[in-house]
C-alpha cells in the first residue's frame, strides 16, 4: 500500500462505501413504510490482502457504513447486511491484477472448498438475507467463502495427524 497512489483512494472509497449510502438514501422513501432489505457485497476487510491496497481500506469503510445504515434505517424496518464472498470469476474480478493468484488460495484453504466459477452459494445467501427468513438480521457480515475466513493456514481437518514436538 505504501507505493499505491493516494489518488486510488479517491476512486475506491466512493465506489465501495459511499455508493451504499447513496443507494440506501434513494431506496429509503420507498422502503420505510413496508420495511425491506439492502444487501451489498464485501470482501474480508479485517486483514491486509495482497493487491487489494486502497480497495481493502474501502471495504473496511463499507463495513462501517453498513453498520451505521443498519442503525439509522432499522427503526423504519429496513435491514442492511453485507455478504463477504469468496472470489468469483466475474468479468470485473478478472480485471484485477493478481486476481487468479489470490483466488487460487480458496480451493486449497477453504474447509468446504470453493469453486470460483460457481456463484450459487453467494446468490443463495443473498436471497436468504433479502427474504423474511432474515427479518431479525441487520448490521451483519455473512461470510460465504467456504470457511476460508475462519482458518489461518492450510491443513488440518480429518486425515491430518497432529504434530508432536
Amino acid at each position: 500500500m505504501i507505493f499505491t497512489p493516494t489518488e486510488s483512494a479517491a476512486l475506491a472509497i466512493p465506489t465501495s462505501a459511499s455508493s451504499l449510502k447513496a443507494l440506501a438514501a434513494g431506496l429509503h422513501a420507498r422502503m420505510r413504510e413496508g420495511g425491506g432489505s439492502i444487501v451489498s457485497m464485501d470482501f474480508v476487510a479485517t486483514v491486509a490482502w495482497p493487491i487489494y491496497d486502497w480497495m481493502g481500506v474501502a471495504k473496511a469503510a463499507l463495513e462501517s457504513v453498513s453498520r451505521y445504515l443498519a442503525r439509522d434505517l432499522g427503526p423504519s424496518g429496513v435491514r442492511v447486511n453485507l455478504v463477504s464472498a469468496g472470489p468469483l470469476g466475474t468479468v470485473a474480478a478478472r480485471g484485477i491484477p493478481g486476481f487468479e493468484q489470490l483466488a487460487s488460495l480458496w480451493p486449497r484453504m477453504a474447509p468446504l472448498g470453493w469453486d470460483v466459477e460457481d456463484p450459487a452459494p453467494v446468490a443463495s445467501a443473498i436471497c436468504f438475507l433479502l427474504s423474511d427468513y432474515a427479518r431479525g438480521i441487520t448490521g451483519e457480515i455473512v461470510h460465504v467463502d467456504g470457511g476460508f475466513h475462519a482458518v489461518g493456514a492450510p491443513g488440518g481437518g480429518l486425515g491430518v495427524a497432529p504434530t508432536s514436538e
Side-chain angles (χ1 to χ4, degrees), residues 80-96:
V80 180
N81 294 291
L82 301 177
V83 169
S84 182
L88 294 172
T90 64
V91 173
R94 288 202 169 95
I96 299 170

Side-chain angles (χ1 to χ4, degrees), residues 30-50:
R30 291 186 175 270
M31 297 176 92
R32 73 173 152 226
E33 293 184 23
S37 180
I38 298 170
V39 179
S40 185
M41 297 297 293
D42 190 23
F43 189 72
V44 180
T46 56
V47 296
W49 292 100

Side-chain angles (χ1 to χ4, degrees), residues 114-125:
W114 189 254
D115 182 354
V116 175
E117 300 304 322
D118 182 11
V122 176
S124 294

Side-chain angles (χ1 to χ4, degrees), residues 1-158:
M1 177 168 193
I2 193 74
F3 302 110
T4 305
T6 305
E7 295 79 25
S8 296
L11 179 61
I13 293 172
T15 299
S16 188
S18 301
S19 61
L20 179 59
K21 187 265 183 195
L23 175 73
L27 291 174
H28 183 242
R30 291 186 175 270
M31 297 176 92
R32 73 173 152 226
E33 293 184 23
S37 180
I38 298 170
V39 179
S40 185
M41 297 297 293
D42 190 23
F43 189 72
V44 180
T46 56
V47 296
W49 292 100
I51 72 167
Y52 229 54
D53 298 338
W54 280 112
M55 188 52 82
V57 173
K59 291 300 183 181
L62 173 69
E63 291 177 3
S64 184
V65 167
S66 72
R67 287 187 294 271
Y68 280 93
L69 289 172
R71 178 199 68 188
D72 293 346
L73 300 178
S76 298
V78 177
R79 299 172 279 123
V80 180
N81 294 291
L82 301 177
V83 169
S84 182
L88 294 172
T90 64
V91 173
R94 288 202 169 95
I96 299 170
F99 170 78
E100 295 296 332
Q101 181 182 1
L102 187 61
S104 72
L105 298 173
W106 261 255
R108 293 192 328 257
M109 287 186 56
L112 294 176
W114 189 254
D115 182 354
V116 175
E117 300 304 322
D118 182 11
V122 176
S124 294
I126 292 168
C127 288
F128 164 72
L129 289 170
L130 291 171
S131 78
D132 284 343
Y133 290 116
R135 65 186 170 273
I137 301 171
T138 195
E140 283 297 327
I141 302 169
V142 177
H143 296 274
V144 185
D145 63 358
F148 184 98
H149 74 281
V151 298
L158 297 175

